Amino acid sequence: MTKDFRLFGNKLDDKKRERFYSGLLMLISAGVDIKTSLEIISEEQKQERDKSLFVQINKQVVHGMNLSDAMERSGKFSAYECFSIRIGEGTGRLR
């Protein structure tokens, strides 16, 4: 019998998600484009693993993928989070 055991789970912790969404909201509200917003968020990450995550998401967005799809592909965000971002993309409130 084998079981995949992850001590800290596969998702971002609550504080990191909160900082991501707060930063994204602030930057987009200020008129910063999504690419630059993700670059700024990537640069402010202290842990290399987190920086790598946001750099990868940014690369996928730059190459034409929706932010929600890039987040979903990372496996670090819940289905609810990805769906919420997808709604923002669909309504034009997230660019």
Coordinates of all heavy atoms in Angstrom, one line a residue:
M1 N 0.8 -1.2 0.0 CA 0.0 0.0 0.0 C 0.9 1.2 0.0 O 1.7 1.4 0.9 CB -0.9 0.0 1.2 CG -1.8 1.1 1.4 SD -2.7 0.9 2.9 CE -4.1 1.7 2.6
T2 N 0.7 2.1 -1.0 CA 1.4 3.3 -1.0 C 0.5 4.5 -0.9 O -0.6 4.5 -1.4 CB 2.2 3.5 -2.3 OG1 1.3 3.5 -3.4 CG2 3.2 2.3 -2.5
K3 N 1.0 5.6 -0.3 CA 0.2 6.8 -0.1 C 1.1 8.0 -0.3 O 2.2 8.0 0.2 CB -0.4 6.8 1.3 CG -1.3 8.0 1.5 CD -2.0 7.9 2.8 CE -2.9 9.1 2.9 NZ -3.7 9.1 4.1
D4 N 0.7 8.9 -1.2 CA 1.4 10.1 -1.4 C 1.2 11.1 -0.2 O 0.1 11.5 0.1 CB 0.9 10.8 -2.7 CG 1.8 12.0 -3.0 OD1 2.9 12.1 -2.5 OD2 1.3 12.8 -3.9
F5 N 2.2 11.4 0.5 CA 2.1 12.2 1.7 C 2.9 13.5 1.5 O 4.1 13.4 1.3 CB 2.6 11.4 3.0 CG 2.5 12.2 4.2 CD1 1.3 12.3 4.9 CD2 3.7 12.8 4.8 CE1 1.2 13.0 6.1 CE2 3.6 13.5 5.9 CZ 2.4 13.6 6.6
R6 N 2.3 14.6 1.7 CA 2.9 15.9 1.6 C 2.7 16.6 2.9 O 1.6 16.9 3.3 CB 2.3 16.7 0.4 CG 2.5 16.1 -0.9 CD 1.9 16.9 -2.0 NE 1.8 16.1 -3.2 CZ 2.6 16.3 -4.2 NH1 3.6 17.2 -4.2 NH2 2.4 15.6 -5.3
L7 N 3.9 17.0 3.5 CA 3.8 17.6 4.8 C 3.1 18.9 4.8 O 2.3 19.2 5.6 CB 5.2 17.8 5.3 CG 5.4 18.3 6.7 CD1 4.7 17.4 7.7 CD2 6.8 18.4 7.1
F8 N 3.4 19.8 3.8 CA 2.7 21.1 3.7 C 1.7 21.2 2.6 O 1.3 22.3 2.3 CB 3.8 22.2 3.6 CG 4.8 22.2 4.8 CD1 6.1 21.7 4.6 CD2 4.3 22.6 6.0 CE1 6.9 21.7 5.7 CE2 5.2 22.6 7.1 CZ 6.5 22.1 7.0
G9 N 1.4 20.2 1.9 CA 0.4 20.3 0.8 C 1.0 20.8 -0.4 O 2.2 21.2 -0.5
N10 N 0.2 20.9 -1.5 CA 0.6 21.4 -2.8 C 0.2 22.8 -3.1 O 0.6 23.4 -4.0 CB 0.1 20.4 -3.8 CG 0.8 20.6 -5.2 OD1 2.0 20.9 -5.2 ND2 0.0 20.4 -6.2
K11 N -0.6 23.4 -2.2 CA -1.1 24.7 -2.5 C -0.2 25.8 -1.8 O 0.6 25.5 -1.0 CB -2.6 24.8 -1.9 CG -3.5 23.8 -2.4 CD -3.9 23.9 -3.8 CE -4.9 22.8 -4.2 NZ -4.8 22.4 -5.5
L12 N -0.4 27.0 -2.3 CA 0.2 28.1 -1.6 C -0.4 28.3 -0.3 O -1.7 28.1 -0.1 CB 0.1 29.4 -2.4 CG 0.9 29.5 -3.7 CD1 0.5 30.8 -4.4 CD2 2.4 29.6 -3.4
D13 N 0.3 28.8 0.7 CA -0.3 29.0 2.0 C -1.2 30.3 1.9 O -1.1 31.1 1.0 CB 0.7 29.1 3.2 CG 1.6 30.2 3.1 OD1 1.2 31.4 2.8 OD2 2.8 30.1 3.5
D14 N -2.0 30.5 2.9 CA -3.0 31.6 2.9 C -2.3 33.0 2.8 O -2.8 33.8 2.1 CB -3.9 31.5 4.2 CG -4.8 30.4 4.2 OD1 -5.1 29.8 3.1 OD2 -5.3 30.0 5.2
K15 N -1.2 33.2 3.5 CA -0.6 34.5 3.5 C 0.0 34.8 2.1 O -0.1 35.9 1.6 CB 0.6 34.6 4.5 CG 0.1 34.7 5.9 CD 1.2 34.9 6.9 CE 0.7 35.0 8.3 NZ 1.8 35.3 9.2
K16 N 0.6 33.8 1.5 CA 1.1 34.0 0.1 C 0.0 34.3 -0.9 O 0.2 35.1 -1.8 CB 1.9 32.8 -0.3 CG 3.2 32.6 0.5 CD 4.0 31.4 0.1 CE 5.2 31.2 1.0 NZ 6.0 30.0 0.6
R17 N -1.1 33.5 -0.8 CA -2.2 33.8 -1.7 C -2.8 35.2 -1.5 O -3.1 35.9 -2.4 CB -3.3 32.7 -1.5 CG -3.0 31.4 -2.2 CD -4.2 30.5 -2.4 NE -5.1 30.5 -1.2 CZ -5.1 29.5 -0.3 NH1 -4.4 28.5 -0.5 NH2 -6.0 29.6 0.7
E18 N -2.9 35.6 -0.2 CA -3.4 36.9 0.1 C -2.5 38.0 -0.5 O -3.0 38.9 -1.1 CB -3.5 37.1 1.6 CG -4.1 38.4 2.0 CD -4.2 38.6 3.5 OE1 -3.9 37.6 4.3 OE2 -4.6 39.7 3.9
R19 N -1.2 37.8 -0.3 CA -0.3 38.8 -0.9 C -0.4 38.8 -2.4 O -0.3 39.9 -3.1 CB 1.2 38.5 -0.5 CG 1.5 39.0 0.9 CD 2.9 39.0 1.3 NE 3.6 37.7 1.0 CZ 3.8 36.7 1.9 NH1 3.4 36.9 3.1 NH2 4.4 35.6 1.6
F20 N -0.5 37.6 -3.0 CA -0.6 37.6 -4.5 C -1.9 38.3 -5.0 O -1.8 39.2 -5.9 CB -0.7 36.1 -5.0 CG -1.1 35.9 -6.4 CD1 -0.2 36.4 -7.4 CD2 -2.2 35.3 -6.8 CE1 -0.6 36.3 -8.8 CE2 -2.6 35.1 -8.1 CZ -1.7 35.6 -9.1
Y21 N -3.0 38.0 -4.4 CA -4.2 38.7 -4.9 C -4.3 40.1 -4.5 O -4.7 40.9 -5.3 CB -5.5 37.9 -4.3 CG -5.7 36.6 -4.8 CD1 -5.7 35.5 -4.0 CD2 -5.7 36.3 -6.2 CE1 -5.9 34.2 -4.5 CE2 -5.9 35.0 -6.7 CZ -6.0 34.0 -5.8 OH -6.1 32.7 -6.3
S22 N -3.8 40.5 -3.4 CA -3.7 41.9 -3.0 C -2.8 42.7 -4.0 O -3.2 43.8 -4.4 CB -3.2 42.1 -1.6 OG -4.2 41.6 -0.7
G23 N -1.7 42.2 -4.2 CA -0.7 42.8 -5.1 C -1.3 42.9 -6.5 O -1.2 43.9 -7.2
L24 N -1.9 41.8 -7.0 CA -2.5 41.8 -8.3 C -3.6 42.9 -8.5 O -3.6 43.6 -9.4 CB -3.0 40.4 -8.7 CG -3.4 40.1 -10.1 CD1 -2.2 40.3 -11.1 CD2 -3.9 38.7 -10.2
L25 N -4.4 42.9 -7.5 CA -5.5 43.9 -7.5 C -5.0 45.3 -7.5 O -5.4 46.1 -8.3 CB -6.4 43.7 -6.2 CG -7.5 44.8 -6.0 CD1 -8.5 44.7 -7.2 CD2 -8.2 44.5 -4.7
M26 N -4.0 45.6 -6.6 CA -3.4 46.9 -6.5 C -2.8 47.3 -7.9 O -3.0 48.4 -8.4 CB -2.4 47.0 -5.4 CG -1.8 48.4 -5.3 SD -0.5 48.4 -4.0 CE 0.7 47.3 -4.7
L27 N -2.0 46.5 -8.4 CA -1.3 46.8 -9.7 C -2.3 47.0 -10.9 O -2.2 47.9 -11.6 CB -0.3 45.7 -10.0 CG 0.9 45.7 -9.0 CD1 1.7 44.4 -9.1 CD2 1.8 46.9 -9.2
I28 N -3.2 46.0 -11.0 CA -4.2 46.1 -12.1 C -5.1 47.4 -11.9 O -5.4 48.1 -12.9 CB -5.0 44.8 -12.2 CG1 -4.1 43.7 -12.8 CG2 -6.2 45.0 -13.2 CD1 -4.7 42.4 -12.9
S29 N -5.5 47.7 -10.7 CA -6.3 48.9 -10.4 C -5.5 50.1 -10.8 O -6.1 51.1 -11.1 CB -6.7 48.9 -9.0 OG -7.6 47.8 -8.7
A30 N -4.2 50.1 -10.6 CA -3.4 51.2 -11.0 C -3.1 51.4 -12.5 O -2.4 52.3 -12.9 CB -2.1 51.2 -10.2
G31 N -3.6 50.4 -13.2 CA -3.4 50.5 -14.7 C -2.2 49.7 -15.2 O -1.9 49.8 -16.4
V32 N -1.6 48.9 -14.3 CA -0.4 48.1 -14.8 C -0.9 46.9 -15.5 O -1.9 46.3 -15.0 CB 0.4 47.7 -13.5 CG1 1.6 46.9 -14.0 CG2 0.9 49.0 -12.8
D33 N -0.3 46.6 -16.6 CA -0.8 45.4 -17.4 C -0.5 44.1 -16.7 O 0.4 44.1 -15.8 CB -0.2 45.4 -18.8 CG 1.3 45.3 -18.8 OD1 1.8 44.1 -18.7 OD2 2.0 46.3 -18.7
I34 N -1.1 43.0 -17.0 CA -1.0 41.8 -16.3 C 0.4 41.2 -16.4 O 1.0 40.7 -15.4 CB -2.0 40.7 -16.8 CG1 -2.1 39.5 -15.9 CG2 -1.7 40.3 -18.3 CD1 -2.8 39.7 -14.7
K35 N 1.1 41.4 -17.5 CA 2.5 40.9 -17.7 C 3.4 41.6 -16.7 O 4.1 40.9 -15.9 CB 3.0 41.1 -19.1 CG 4.4 40.7 -19.3 CD 4.9 41.1 -20.7 CE 6.4 40.9 -20.9 NZ 7.2 41.8 -20.2
T36 N 3.4 42.9 -16.6 CA 4.2 43.6 -15.7 C 3.8 43.4 -14.3 O 4.7 43.2 -13.4 CB 4.1 45.1 -16.0 OG1 4.5 45.3 -17.4 CG2 5.0 46.0 -15.1
S37 N 2.5 43.2 -14.0 CA 2.1 42.9 -12.6 C 2.7 41.6 -12.2 O 3.2 41.5 -11.0 CB 0.5 42.8 -12.6 OG 0.0 44.1 -12.9
L38 N 2.6 40.6 -13.0 CA 3.2 39.3 -12.6 C 4.7 39.3 -12.5 O 5.3 38.6 -11.6 CB 2.8 38.2 -13.7 CG 1.3 37.8 -13.6 CD1 0.9 37.0 -14.8 CD2 0.9 37.2 -12.3
E39 N 5.4 40.2 -13.3 CA 6.8 40.3 -13.2 C 7.1 40.9 -11.8 O 8.1 40.5 -11.1 CB 7.4 41.2 -14.3 CG 7.4 40.5 -15.6 CD 7.8 41.5 -16.7 OE1 8.0 42.7 -16.5 OE2 8.0 41.0 -17.9
I40 N 6.4 42.0 -11.4 CA 6.6 42.6 -10.1 C 6.4 41.6 -9.0 O 7.2 41.6 -8.0 CB 5.7 43.9 -10.0 CG1 6.2 44.9 -11.0 CG2 5.7 44.4 -8.6 CD1 5.2 46.1 -11.1
I41 N 5.3 40.9 -9.1 CA 5.0 39.9 -8.0 C 6.1 38.9 -7.9 O 6.5 38.5 -6.9 CB 3.6 39.3 -8.3 CG1 2.5 40.4 -8.0 CG2 3.4 38.0 -7.4 CD1 1.1 40.0 -8.5
S42 N 6.6 38.4 -9.1 CA 7.6 37.4 -9.1 C 8.9 38.0 -8.4 O 9.5 37.3 -7.6 CB 8.0 37.0 -10.6 OG 6.9 36.4 -11.2
E43 N 9.2 39.2 -8.7 CA 10.5 39.8 -8.2 C 10.4 40.0 -6.7 O 11.5 39.9 -6.0 CB 10.7 41.1 -8.8 CG 11.2 41.0 -10.3 CD 11.2 42.4 -11.0 OE1 11.1 43.4 -10.4 OE2 11.4 42.3 -12.2
E44 N 9.2 40.1 -6.1 CA 9.2 40.4 -4.7 C 9.1 39.1 -3.8 O 9.1 39.1 -2.6 CB 8.0 41.3 -4.3 CG 6.6 40.8 -4.6 CD 5.5 41.8 -4.3 OE1 5.8 43.0 -4.4 OE2 4.4 41.3 -4.0
Q45 N 9.1 37.9 -4.5 CA 9.1 36.7 -3.8 C 10.4 36.4 -3.1 O 11.5 36.5 -3.7 CB 8.7 35.5 -4.7 CG 7.4 35.6 -5.4 CD 6.3 35.8 -4.4 OE1 6.1 35.0 -3.5 NE2 5.5 36.9 -4.6
K46 N 10.4 36.0 -1.9 CA 11.6 35.7 -1.1 C 12.1 34.3 -1.3 O 13.3 34.0 -1.4 CB 11.3 35.9 0.4 CG 11.1 37.4 0.7 CD 10.8 37.7 2.1 CE 10.6 39.2 2.3 NZ 9.6 39.5 3.3
Q47 N 11.2 33.3 -1.5 CA 11.6 31.9 -1.6 C 11.7 31.6 -3.1 O 10.8 32.0 -3.9 CB 10.6 31.0 -1.0 CG 10.6 31.1 0.5 CD 9.7 30.1 1.1 OE1 8.9 29.4 0.5 NE2 9.8 29.9 2.5
E48 N 12.7 31.0 -3.5 CA 13.0 30.6 -4.9 C 11.8 29.8 -5.5 O 11.5 30.0 -6.7 CB 14.3 29.9 -5.1 CG 14.8 29.7 -6.5 CD 14.9 31.1 -7.2 OE1 15.4 32.0 -6.6 OE2 14.6 31.1 -8.4
R49 N 11.3 28.9 -4.8 CA 10.2 28.1 -5.3 C 9.0 28.9 -5.6 O 8.3 28.7 -6.6 CB 9.9 27.0 -4.2 CG 8.5 26.5 -4.1 CD 8.3 25.5 -3.0 NE 7.9 26.2 -1.8 CZ 8.1 25.8 -0.6 NH1 8.8 24.7 -0.4 NH2 7.7 26.4 0.5
D50 N 8.7 30.0 -4.8 CA 7.5 30.8 -5.1 C 7.8 31.7 -6.3 O 7.0 31.9 -7.1 CB 7.2 31.7 -3.9 CG 6.8 30.9 -2.7 OD1 6.2 29.7 -2.9 OD2 7.0 31.3 -1.5
K51 N 9.1 32.2 -6.3 CA 9.5 33.1 -7.5 C 9.3 32.3 -8.8 O 8.8 32.8 -9.8 CB 10.9 33.5 -7.3 CG 11.4 34.5 -8.4 CD 12.8 35.0 -8.1 CE 13.1 36.1 -9.1 NZ 14.0 37.1 -8.5
S52 N 9.8 31.0 -8.7 CA 9.7 30.2 -9.9 C 8.3 29.9 -10.4 O 8.0 29.9 -11.6 CB 10.4 28.8 -9.6 OG 10.3 28.0 -10.7
L53 N 7.4 29.8 -9.4 CA 6.0 29.6 -9.7 C 5.4 30.8 -10.5 O 4.8 30.6 -11.5 CB 5.2 29.4 -8.4 CG 3.7 29.5 -8.5 CD1 3.1 28.3 -9.3 CD2 3.0 29.5 -7.1
F54 N 5.7 32.0 -10.0 CA 5.1 33.2 -10.6 C 5.8 33.5 -11.9 O 5.2 34.0 -12.8 CB 5.1 34.3 -9.6 CG 4.1 34.1 -8.5 CD1 4.5 33.9 -7.2 CD2 2.7 34.0 -8.8 CE1 3.6 33.7 -6.2 CE2 1.8 33.8 -7.7 CZ 2.3 33.6 -6.5
V55 N 7.1 33.2 -12.0 CA 7.8 33.4 -13.3 C 7.1 32.4 -14.4 O 6.9 32.9 -15.5 CB 9.3 33.1 -13.2 CG1 10.0 32.9 -14.5 CG2 9.9 34.3 -12.4
Q56 N 6.9 31.2 -14.0 CA 6.3 30.2 -14.9 C 4.9 30.7 -15.3 O 4.5 30.6 -16.5 CB 6.2 28.8 -14.3 CG 5.8 27.8 -15.2 CD 6.6 27.6 -16.5 OE1 7.8 27.8 -16.4 NE2 6.0 27.3 -17.6
I57 N 4.1 31.1 -14.4 CA 2.7 31.6 -14.7 C 2.8 32.8 -15.7 O 2.1 32.8 -16.7 CB 2.0 32.0 -13.4 CG1 1.6 30.7 -12.6 CG2 0.7 32.8 -13.7 CD1 1.0 31.0 -11.3
N58 N 3.8 33.7 -15.4 CA 3.9 34.9 -16.3 C 4.3 34.4 -17.7 O 3.8 34.9 -18.7 CB 5.0 35.8 -15.7 CG 5.0 37.1 -16.5 OD1 4.0 37.6 -17.0 ND2 6.2 37.7 -16.5
K59 N 5.3 33.5 -17.8 CA 5.7 33.0 -19.1 C 4.5 32.4 -19.9 O 4.4 32.7 -21.1 CB 6.8 31.9 -19.0 CG 8.1 32.5 -18.7 CD 9.1 31.3 -18.6 CE 10.5 31.8 -18.1 NZ 11.5 30.7 -18.0
Q60 N 3.7 31.7 -19.2 CA 2.5 31.1 -19.9 C 1.5 32.2 -20.4 O 1.0 32.1 -21.5 CB 1.8 30.1 -19.0 CG 2.7 28.9 -18.7 CD 2.1 27.9 -17.7 OE1 1.3 28.3 -16.9 NE2 2.6 26.7 -17.6
V61 N 1.3 33.2 -19.5 CA 0.4 34.3 -19.9 C 1.0 35.0 -21.1 O 0.3 35.4 -22.0 CB 0.2 35.2 -18.7 CG1 -0.5 36.5 -19.1 CG2 -0.6 34.5 -17.6
V62 N 2.3 35.3 -21.1 CA 3.0 36.0 -22.2 C 2.8 35.2 -23.5 O 2.7 35.8 -24.6 CB 4.5 36.3 -21.9 CG1 5.2 36.7 -23.1 CG2 4.6 37.3 -20.8
H63 N 2.8 33.9 -23.4 CA 2.7 33.1 -24.6 C 1.2 32.8 -25.0 O 1.0 31.9 -25.8 CB 3.5 31.8 -24.4 CG 4.9 32.0 -24.5 ND1 5.7 32.1 -23.4 CD2 5.8 32.1 -25.6 CE1 7.0 32.3 -23.7 NE2 7.0 32.3 -25.1
G64 N 0.3 33.5 -24.4 CA -1.1 33.5 -24.8 C -2.1 32.7 -23.9 O -3.3 32.7 -24.3
M65 N -1.6 32.1 -22.9 CA -2.5 31.4 -22.0 C -3.2 32.4 -21.1 O -2.7 33.4 -20.7 CB -1.7 30.4 -21.2 CG -2.6 29.5 -20.3 SD -1.6 28.2 -19.4 CE -1.1 27.1 -20.7
N66 N -4.5 32.1 -20.8 CA -5.2 32.9 -19.8 C -4.6 32.7 -18.4 O -4.0 31.6 -18.1 CB -6.7 32.5 -19.7 CG -7.5 32.8 -20.9 OD1 -7.1 33.8 -21.6 ND2 -8.5 32.0 -21.2
L67 N -4.6 33.8 -17.6 CA -4.1 33.7 -16.2 C -4.8 32.5 -15.5 O -4.1 31.8 -14.8 CB -4.3 35.0 -15.5 CG -3.9 35.0 -14.0 CD1 -2.4 34.7 -13.9 CD2 -4.2 36.4 -13.4
S68 N -6.1 32.4 -15.6 CA -6.8 31.3 -14.9 C -6.2 29.9 -15.3 O -6.1 29.1 -14.4 CB -8.3 31.4 -15.1 OG -8.6 31.3 -16.5
D69 N -6.0 29.7 -16.6 CA -5.5 28.5 -17.0 C -4.0 28.2 -16.5 O -3.7 27.1 -16.2 CB -5.5 28.4 -18.6 CG -6.9 28.3 -19.1 OD1 -7.8 27.9 -18.4 OD2 -7.1 28.8 -20.2
A70 N -3.2 29.3 -16.5 CA -1.9 29.1 -16.0 C -1.9 28.8 -14.5 O -1.1 28.0 -14.1 CB -1.1 30.4 -16.3
M71 N -2.8 29.4 -13.8 CA -2.9 29.2 -12.4 C -3.3 27.7 -12.1 O -2.8 27.0 -11.3 CB -3.8 30.1 -11.7 CG -3.3 31.6 -11.6 SD -4.6 32.8 -11.1 CE -5.1 32.1 -9.5
E72 N -4.3 27.3 -12.9 CA -4.8 25.9 -12.8 C -3.7 24.9 -13.1 O -3.5 23.9 -12.4 CB -6.0 25.8 -13.7 CG -6.7 24.4 -13.6 CD -8.0 24.4 -14.4 OE1 -8.1 25.0 -15.5 OE2 -8.9 23.7 -14.0
R73 N -3.0 25.2 -14.2 CA -1.9 24.3 -14.6 C -0.8 24.1 -13.5 O -0.2 23.1 -13.4 CB -1.3 24.8 -15.9 CG -0.2 23.9 -16.4 CD 0.4 24.4 -17.7 NE -0.3 23.7 -18.8 CZ 0.0 23.8 -20.0 NH1 0.9 24.7 -20.4 NH2 -0.6 23.1 -21.0
S74 N -0.6 25.2 -12.8 CA 0.4 25.1 -11.7 C 0.1 24.1 -10.6 O 1.0 23.6 -10.0 CB 0.6 26.5 -11.1 OG -0.4 26.8 -10.2
G75 N -1.2 23.9 -10.4 CA -1.6 23.0 -9.3 C -1.5 23.6 -7.9 O -1.7 22.9 -6.9
K76 N -1.2 24.9 -7.9 CA -1.0 25.6 -6.6 C -2.3 26.3 -6.1 O -2.3 26.9 -5.0 CB 0.2 26.5 -6.6 CG 1.5 25.9 -7.0 CD 1.9 25.0 -5.9 CE 3.3 24.5 -6.2 NZ 3.8 23.6 -5.1
F77 N -3.3 26.4 -7.0 CA -4.5 27.2 -6.7 C -5.7 26.3 -6.7 O -5.7 25.3 -7.5 CB -4.6 28.3 -7.7 CG -3.5 29.3 -7.6 CD1 -2.4 29.2 -8.4 CD2 -3.5 30.4 -6.8 CE1 -1.3 30.1 -8.4 CE2 -2.5 31.3 -6.7 CZ -1.4 31.1 -7.5
S78 N -6.7 26.6 -5.9 CA -7.9 25.7 -5.9 C -8.7 26.0 -7.2 O -8.6 27.0 -7.9 CB -8.7 26.1 -4.7 OG -9.3 27.4 -4.8
A79 N -9.6 25.1 -7.4 CA -10.5 25.2 -8.6 C -11.4 26.5 -8.4 O -11.6 27.2 -9.4 CB -11.4 24.0 -8.7
Y80 N -11.8 26.8 -7.2 CA -12.6 28.0 -6.9 C -11.8 29.2 -7.3 O -12.3 30.1 -7.9 CB -13.0 28.0 -5.4 CG -13.7 29.3 -5.1 CD1 -15.0 29.5 -5.4 CD2 -13.0 30.3 -4.5 CE1 -15.7 30.7 -5.0 CE2 -13.6 31.5 -4.1 CZ -15.0 31.7 -4.4 OH -15.6 32.8 -4.1
E81 N -10.5 29.3 -6.9 CA -9.7 30.4 -7.2 C -9.6 30.6 -8.8 O -9.7 31.7 -9.3 CB -8.3 30.3 -6.6 CG -8.3 30.4 -5.1 CD -7.0 30.0 -4.5 OE1 -6.6 28.8 -4.5 OE2 -6.3 31.0 -4.0
C82 N -9.3 29.5 -9.4 CA -9.1 29.6 -10.9 C -10.4 30.0 -11.6 O -10.4 30.8 -12.5 CB -8.6 28.2 -11.4 SG -7.0 27.8 -10.8
F83 N -11.5 29.5 -11.1 CA -12.8 29.8 -11.7 C -13.2 31.3 -11.4 O -13.7 32.0 -12.3 CB -13.9 28.9 -11.0 CG -15.3 29.2 -11.6 CD1 -15.6 28.7 -12.9 CD2 -16.3 29.8 -10.9 CE1 -16.8 28.9 -13.5 CE2 -17.5 30.0 -11.5 CZ -17.8 29.6 -12.8
S84 N -12.8 31.8 -10.2 CA -13.1 33.2 -9.9 C -12.2 34.1 -10.9 O -12.8 35.1 -11.4 CB -12.7 33.5 -8.5 OG -13.5 32.8 -7.6
I85 N -11.0 33.8 -11.1 CA -10.2 34.5 -12.0 C -10.7 34.4 -13.5 O -10.8 35.4 -14.2 CB -8.7 34.0 -12.0 CG1 -8.1 34.3 -10.6 CG2 -7.9 34.7 -13.1 CD1 -7.9 35.8 -10.2
R86 N -11.2 33.2 -13.8 CA -11.8 33.0 -15.2 C -13.0 33.9 -15.4 O -13.2 34.5 -16.5 CB -12.1 31.6 -15.3 CG -12.5 31.2 -16.7 CD -12.6 29.7 -16.9 NE -11.2 29.1 -16.9 CZ -10.8 28.2 -16.0 NH1 -11.6 27.7 -15.1 NH2 -9.6 27.7 -16.0
I87 N -13.8 34.1 -14.3 CA -15.0 35.0 -14.4 C -14.5 36.4 -14.7 O -15.0 37.2 -15.5 CB -15.8 34.9 -13.1 CG1 -16.5 33.6 -13.1 CG2 -16.8 36.1 -13.1 CD1 -17.3 33.3 -11.8
G88 N -13.5 36.9 -13.9 CA -12.9 38.2 -14.1 C -12.4 38.4 -15.5 O -12.6 39.5 -16.2
E89 N -11.7 37.4 -16.1 CA -11.2 37.5 -17.5 C -12.4 37.6 -18.4 O -12.3 38.3 -19.4 CB -10.4 36.2 -17.8 CG -9.1 36.2 -17.0 CD -8.4 34.8 -17.1 OE1 -9.1 33.8 -17.3 OE2 -7.2 34.8 -17.0
G90 N -13.4 36.8 -18.2 CA -14.6 36.7 -19.1 C -15.4 38.0 -19.1 O -16.0 38.4 -20.1
T91 N -15.4 38.7 -18.0 CA -16.2 40.0 -17.9 C -15.3 41.2 -18.3 O -15.8 42.3 -18.3 CB -16.7 40.2 -16.5 OG1 -15.6 40.3 -15.5 CG2 -17.7 39.1 -16.1
G92 N -14.0 41.0 -18.5 CA -13.2 42.1 -18.9 C -12.7 42.9 -17.7 O -12.1 44.0 -17.9
R93 N -12.9 42.4 -16.5 CA -12.4 43.1 -15.3 C -11.0 42.7 -14.9 O -10.5 43.3 -14.0 CB -13.4 42.9 -14.2 CG -14.7 43.5 -14.5 CD -15.7 43.3 -13.4 NE -17.0 43.9 -13.8 CZ -17.6 44.8 -13.1 NH1 -17.1 45.4 -12.0 NH2 -18.8 45.3 -13.5
L94 N -10.5 41.7 -15.6 CA -9.1 41.3 -15.3 C -8.4 41.2 -16.6 O -8.8 40.5 -17.5 CB -9.1 39.9 -14.6 CG -7.8 39.4 -14.2 CD1 -7.2 40.2 -13.1 CD2 -7.9 37.9 -13.8
R95 N -7.4 42.0 -16.8 CA -6.7 42.1 -18.1 C -5.3 41.8 -17.9 O -4.6 42.1 -17.0 CB -6.9 43.5 -18.7 CG -8.3 43.8 -18.9 CD -8.5 45.2 -19.3 NE -9.9 45.5 -19.2 CZ -10.6 46.2 -20.0 NH1 -10.0 46.8 -21.0 NH2 -11.8 46.5 -19.8

